[in-house]
Amino acid sequence: MADGKNSNESQPASLHGQAGAQQVAPPWNALWVLALGLAMIVLDGSIVNVSMPDIIREIHINLTDAQWVTSLYNIVLAALLLPFGKLGDMKGRKTTLQVGVVIFVCGSVLAASSNGAAVLLSARAVQAVGGALVMPSTLSTVSASFRGKDRAVAFGVWGSVMSAAAAVGPLLGGLFTATIGWRWIFLVNLPLGLIVFVSAIFFVPQTGGAMNAARSGKPQGADPLGIVLSALGSAFLIFGLIEGETYGWWRPTGTFSIGGFTWGQAWPVSIIPVCIVLGVLFFAWFIHTESSRASRELPVMLDLTLFRIPTFSLGNIAACAIAAGQFAVIFVLPLYLINARGLGMMATGALVASMGLGSIVSGGLARAFTKKIGAAGTVQLGLVLETLGVVLTLVLMNPHFPVLLMLIAMLLYGFGLGLASAQLTSLVLSEVPIPQSGEGSATQSMVRQLGTGVGSAIAGAVLAIAIHAIAPVRLAAVQGLPASASNGLSVSLSASAGSVIPGIRAQGTNGKLGALGPQVADALQSAFVSAGQWTLFASIVMLLIGLFASVWIARAVKRGKAQ
């Protein structure tokens, strides 16, 4: 089966639909193995957050270390996606998948057995290394193994699993923590990893490798400088984007510490703009280096000529914007449900996870939609449904509406998410030559990670700005509340992302605010809801940018067919 795949790997993916009877049967069993491997990696990006209070309490880590537990995983993952995607093209994608699963499971067992910050953070870094081997391997194997109509179904499953796993992560994290303990958020990867590894032996075809490299027509070999520059650029940029609210976008608002180095609040500028600038500079150096090496016919980390393919370049722009818009929704919705509506962690997780159900349903229908309106049309339909889902969420984000009505918005949003994510991935890789599907897949995954960072930055900034603009006005309407108290409450509302509201409401008239307590809680709730709505509006704007990019993609596809 592996030879059957490699024999055609020098052609663009779009040409394989013409192969017809020469193609072997699509490896559907492999698809489920790849989907399970992907789900395992995506889950670990979101499953940990809910368990952090228990982890902090049990193994006595400080707040800074707790923040790094999640950040380190995302940063290392993003930094290594591109080099490991290229590695899969060169050494074989099944091989990198299996090696990645072993490393990921080892990191998971180490994390579950940790009793201190050093071991837990080291384990998360090991998990990220394994995840960076697995993620592009799953996508590039799907791209190399499925053709024609089957391709739409395969990408539908892949995209649905990715979306559903991200949505279900917090729910599973809360469930495990509340029942069998937080260590099981890591230990669950042991049986999952074993299933993926063993099943891959029998069902997953070996694509890529020496035969693939020989047929690619590209210089083969190592590009050490390209690896270092791409990793540093990704790491600095992702860190700067996702940690801006923590350490301050310009002036330091928190103390950054790693090892023996500390960037304190007395410094004239925050570490965040420095990291973002360094990330951009490293990426610029990376692009210059890759262009120079390609002109001298030397091996490169990333073939920049891939960006001459309209579907690849425009598709990545769309993917970044869509990921940013999607993250903004995931960012603000749990805060609203918990802090403004008083839902418990499990109920919140279940409501947010419902979008995963919509995504799974739409993923199963991807082939039918693609057959009627094409991949580009399916992406556009999905984005329209996503946008409508966010608009409905914005309208329903009101304490006067029953919170269960959010379920309708989440299912609609999830349905659109499944359509858009899966078929956008298919479009991005549709014209990428199969021998380069690893680096193409890794680029697309890295762009999604960058989009998540952009979404984090925009959502956090919009929420904070809106709170500072709205909260003082709402608090000024509370008669008898001193101006000094109003300012302090506004700062607390922003700094706590709304978590100050349940505490003040629970105190009633017995807290420091006395008889004004309930009125202050109402004012803070009103301000936080309005700020959350502005954040959702920013999400809508980002999704619309993705929609416009998808229209350009559709035009590019039509031009390609006309030629």
Side-chain angles (χ1 to χ4, degrees), residues 144 214 263 285 363 430 443 471:
W263 191 300
W285 189 1
S430 61
T443 302

Side-chain angles (χ1 to χ4, degrees), residues 432-493:
V432 173
I434 296 301
Q436 296 174 275
S437 61
E439 59 185 296
S441 301
T443 302
Q444 201 257 0
S445 297
M446 185 180 69
V447 165
R448 285 181 183 269
Q449 289 290 107
L450 288 173
T452 299
V454 170
S456 173
I458 293 176
V462 170
L463 186 67
I465 292 171
I467 286 175
H468 287 302
I470 298 170
V473 177
R474 303 290 166 85
L475 288 169
V478 179
Q479 296 184 359
L481 184 68
S484 57
S486 175
N487 293 334
L489 287 166
S490 297
V491 172
S492 297
L493 182 65

Side-chain angles (χ1 to χ4, degrees), residues 32-42 97 101 134-135 138 196:
W32 301 111
V33 177
L34 297 169
L36 182 59
L38 173 69
M40 185 174 65
I41 303 306
V42 175
L97 169 70
V101 167
V134 171
M135 185 177 285
T138 63
V196 173

